[in-house]
Amino acid sequence: MKALMQELRENALNAISDAESIDSLDALRVRYLGKKGELTAILKQMGKLSAEERPVMGQLANQIRSDLEASIENTRKRLEAAALEARLQMETLDVTIPAKELKLGHKHPMYMALDEIKDIFVGMGFTVLDGPEVELASYNFDKLNAEEGHPSRDWSDTFYFDEDSRVMLRSQTSPMQVRAMETMPLPIRIIAPGRVYRKDEVDATHSPMFHQVEGMVIDKNVTMADLKGTLNAVMEQLFGEGTVTRFRPHHFPFTEPSCEMDVQCHKCGGKGCPTCKGEGWIEVLGAGMIHPHVLEMSGIDPEEYTGWAFGMGLERLAMRRFKISDLRLIFENDVRFLEQF
């Protein structure tokens, strides 16, 4: 039996030292030291030994088990270290290799135009205001001199939240002008950009959701000449020196007298094309002198103060600024279109 144990020890140690993987090492451990392993099989024969031989064989068996376990542990550490080294070699990062190109986005052309407009007006001493898109009809209509029965209050024109027509998606950013008149000290110079909503059909120049930039000046001795001079200066800074504009008489309940301002079509140079619907001009804003009754409703004395206001469509300004022929391109998020800017 002693010879069998010595032979098992030698064979096992050789096999363990030659193991090439953790899996094969575990298989050898089970083969030699498991419950049904070769060492256990030999020990089952100890019943045939004499009383004097059993302690000697038992001590030898324990020594062999200890030697095999130590060899297995050392081999396991060697195999794990080799596997780690191989993995490190495989996953080595070459920092000299050029990195992958990181593609960054950029501002939307409409917001590029908005930033330019803000810079122009801030440079003229205006303050930029922001306000709620869900608005009260009293601010969107009543305090702007558009009482019950005005066409703009019709359900076919405006998005209402309740049957009483009191809460709505604002159809203009003009409510911020009223809020400014009620809360800000005089004189006032503000612009109010933001999203607005109307039940417009989608076409080359209309959308049910669009953006406006409204502005207002209230001070002593403000005239229509100040309005025209300021807006002409803004258009020249935005579109370049020599930009052709025109003012047409119009009617807005918020202003009196009122006008609309057009810029010459960038697509056809005033000759007429689908973009300008054959007119040669594109309307960009409505404006006028603030109605005295509107000033009174906000607690401002129209005998002492006068003012002017305007509201411009941001998308149309962006179309003119970047020579975009169709408003729908601004909202479709086609990367091929947006990458041009």
Side-chain angles (χ1 to χ4, degrees):
M1 180 177 286
K2 183 177 180 179
L4 287 175
M5 286 189 178
Q6 294 290 3
E7 182 180 357
L8 180 147
R9 179 181 182 278
E10 183 177 351
N11 292 339
L13 290 175
N14 290 334
I16 291 170
S17 63
D18 292 339
E20 297 182 351
S21 66
I22 297 295
D23 290 340
S24 62
L25 183 65
D26 287 337
L28 290 172
R29 179 184 59 78
V30 173
R31 173 183 172 184
Y32 292 112
L33 301 179
K35 291 183 179 180
K36 297 182 180 180
E38 294 183 14
L39 181 59
T40 303
I42 293 175
L43 292 176
K44 287 181 179 180
Q45 302 178 23
M46 288 184 66
K48 300 176 182 180
L49 299 177
S50 63
E52 294 80 9
E53 291 177 317
R54 287 175 188 170
V56 177
M57 290 299 102
Q59 185 177 2
L60 179 60
N62 288 335
Q63 183 61 47
I64 292 173
R65 178 181 292 277
S66 178
D67 291 344
L68 295 186
E69 288 177 346
S71 180
I72 289 171
E73 182 62 24
N74 291 334
T75 302
R76 184 184 298 278
K77 291 179 179 179
R78 174 175 60 80
L79 292 175
E80 288 177 348
L84 177 60
E85 181 64 25
R87 181 179 176 185
L88 291 175
Q89 290 292 335
M90 183 177 64
E91 297 179 358
T92 297
L93 177 64
D94 186 352
V95 295
T96 65
I97 297 177
K100 293 181 180 179
E101 181 182 359
L102 183 60
K103 191 172 183 179
L104 298 176
H106 57 75
K107 283 186 178 180
H108 192 281
M110 187 183 67
Y111 286 101
M112 292 181 185
L114 177 58
D115 286 345
E116 291 184 20
I117 293 168
K118 286 180 178 179
D119 287 342
I120 292 169
F121 278 102
V122 169
M124 292 180 171
F126 284 68
T127 300
V128 180
L129 299 184
D130 189 21
E133 294 179 23
V134 177
E135 187 57 273
L136 297 174
S138 58
Y139 279 95
N140 197 85
F141 293 123
D142 296 334
K143 295 183 179 183
L144 292 169
N145 221 25
E147 299 178 349
E148 290 288 346
H150 192 275
S152 63
R153 302 186 69 145
D154 193 89
W155 277 80
S156 63
D157 188 76
T158 304
F159 294 100
Y160 288 101
F161 282 89
D162 59 353
E163 295 183 358
D164 296 329
S165 304
R166 291 178 299 180
V167 182
M168 55 179 290
L169 290 175
R170 66 182 179 186
S171 60
Q172 53 199 355
T173 56
S174 302
M176 286 309 300
Q177 298 180 19
V178 178
R179 294 178 184 276
M181 286 189 286
E182 291 181 344
T183 59
M184 295 180 68
L186 295 167
I188 298 172
R189 291 176 178 83
I190 61 102
I191 61 169
R195 280 186 293 264
V196 297
Y197 307 85
R198 297 179 189 174
K199 291 183 178 178
D200 286 338
E201 295 295 329
V202 176
D203 61 24
T205 56
H206 293 84
S207 169
M209 186 284 295
F210 57 101
H211 297 73
Q212 278 189 341
V213 180
E214 301 220 4
M216 179 179 68
V217 171
I218 300 178
D219 204 344
K220 295 179 180 180
N221 303 317
V222 171
T223 68
M224 192 78 171
D226 299 316
L227 164 66
K228 294 183 67 176
T230 302
L231 293 181
N232 275 329
V234 169
M235 294 303 152
E236 285 212 344
Q237 288 191 55
L238 192 60
F239 301 131
E241 188 176 351
T243 297
V244 181
T245 65
R246 72 176 184 183
F247 289 83
R248 295 177 287 104
H250 199 69
H251 168 71
F252 298 109
F254 179 69
T255 54
E256 180 60 38
S258 304
C259 64
E260 287 190 335
M261 181 182 186
D262 305 330
V263 293
Q264 197 172 74
C265 179
H266 60 275
K267 193 72 174 177
C268 64
K271 297 178 182 179
C273 68
T275 299
C276 61
K277 299 181 179 179
E279 296 181 2
W281 299 86
I282 296 177
E283 176 194 338
V284 291
L285 60 85
M289 300 300 295
I290 299 175
H291 198 292
H293 183 49
V294 173
L295 293 174
E296 288 178 344
M297 284 191 289
S298 296
I300 297 174
D301 184 0
E303 297 296 328
E304 184 177 3
Y305 288 94
T306 55
W308 54 262
F310 69 87
M312 61 176 68
L314 181 57
E315 285 81 2
R316 294 188 183 184
L317 288 173
M319 289 173 67
R320 177 66 174 79
R321 173 67 177 81
F322 296 108
K323 295 179 171 57
I324 299 170
S325 61
D326 194 319
L327 180 143
R328 288 167 289 194
L329 291 170
I330 293 176
F331 297 116
E332 288 175 350
N333 292 324
D334 189 327
V335 175
R336 296 169 297 177
F337 166 74
L338 297 174
E339 283 180 339
Q340 301 176 65
F341 307 95

